[in-house]
């Protein structure tokens, strides 16, 4: 893959009362999508994507350890480090200007497809905030060559 890429991150969050099988355009689900230029590199068998979120201007790093885990780190006004591993719970502090929250992610499923000029990931997980279930979530990350 080329060094210059476009990364698209799409997320869909369902509250406890909404079933995961509902359509994406449901009024009861909250969705977001961000596309931004990024830098891609491969080091020690791990894929790295470094980007700045357009809306928040927060630098982020995505690390993909093929078949094992997805690691997303953001730093700025809010700091977070989320790790996704299938059938595992990962807990991390989420630092905001108003105080810290404890985020827990239980990864229900993860699909990673790596091609020469494209990487696509889909992650299904439950999100807990300070030990209370907040939502079921789907995240899709698409990394494509941007020449």
């Amino acid at each position: 893959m080329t060094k210059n890429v476009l990364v698209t991150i799409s997320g869909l969050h369902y509250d406890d009362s909404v079933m995961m099988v509902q359509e994406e355009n449901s009024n009861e689900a909250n969705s977001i999508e961000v596309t931004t230029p990024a830098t891609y590199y491969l080091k020690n068998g791990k894929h790295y994507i470094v980007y700045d979120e357009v809306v928040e201007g927060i630098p982020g790093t995505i690390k993909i350890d093929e078949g094992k885990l997805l690691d997303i780190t953001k730093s700025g006004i809010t700091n977070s480090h989320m790790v996704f591993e299938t059938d595992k719970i990962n807990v991390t502090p989420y630092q905001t200007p108003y105080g810290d929250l404890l985020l827990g992610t239980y990864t229900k499923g993860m699909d990673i497809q790596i091609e020469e000029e494209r990487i696509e990931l889909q992650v299904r997980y439950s999100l807990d905030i300070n030990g209370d279930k907040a939502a079921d979530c789907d995240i899709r990350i698409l990394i494509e060559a941007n020449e």
Side-chain angles (χ1 to χ4, degrees), residues 6-24:
L6 279 178
V7 61
T8 301
I9 303 172
S10 316
L12 193 57
H13 304 268
Y14 303 88
D15 68 24
D16 260 352
S17 64
V18 179
M19 306 256 324
M20 292 283 293
V21 295
Q22 296 226 333
E23 294 180 12
E24 288 185 20

Side-chain angles (χ1 to χ4, degrees), residues 36-54:
T36 188
T39 303
Y40 166 85
Y41 62 95
L42 181 65
K43 182 177 180 182
N44 297 327
K46 294 173 181 65
H47 304 267
Y48 293 85
I49 299 88
V50 180
Y51 66 97
D52 284 330
E53 278 194 6
V54 177

Side-chain angles (χ1 to χ4, degrees), residues 29-131:
N30 296 315
S31 64
I32 59 163
E33 182 170 298
V34 175
T35 300
T36 188
T39 303
Y40 166 85
Y41 62 95
L42 181 65
K43 182 177 180 182
N44 297 327
K46 294 173 181 65
H47 304 267
Y48 293 85
I49 299 88
V50 180
Y51 66 97
D52 284 330
E53 278 194 6
V54 177
V55 175
E56 298 175 13
I58 296 174
T61 302
I62 298 169
K63 180 174 80 172
I64 304 163
D65 189 348
E66 197 172 339
K68 295 181 183 176
L69 67 86
L70 168 64
D71 184 312
I72 302 173
T73 305
K74 295 182 192 179
S75 58
I77 295 172
T78 59
N79 296 311
S80 67
H81 179 209
M82 298 177 77
V83 178
F84 301 93
E85 297 175 273
T86 302
D87 293 326
K88 289 192 178 181
I89 297 173
N90 286 288
V91 179
T92 185
Y94 181 71
Q95 300 170 335
T96 75
Y98 307 104
D100 293 352
L101 301 171
L102 198 57
L103 296 184
T105 56
Y106 170 69
T107 306
K108 298 175 181 180
M110 183 167 39
D111 182 36
I112 303 172
Q113 296 178 9
I114 299 175
E115 299 172 12
E116 190 171 325
E117 296 297 320
R118 173 185 171 107
I119 299 173
E120 186 171 0
L121 300 99
Q122 286 197 286
V123 180
R124 292 163 308 285
Y125 65 98
S126 291
L127 177 67
D128 294 344
I129 300 174
N130 292 333

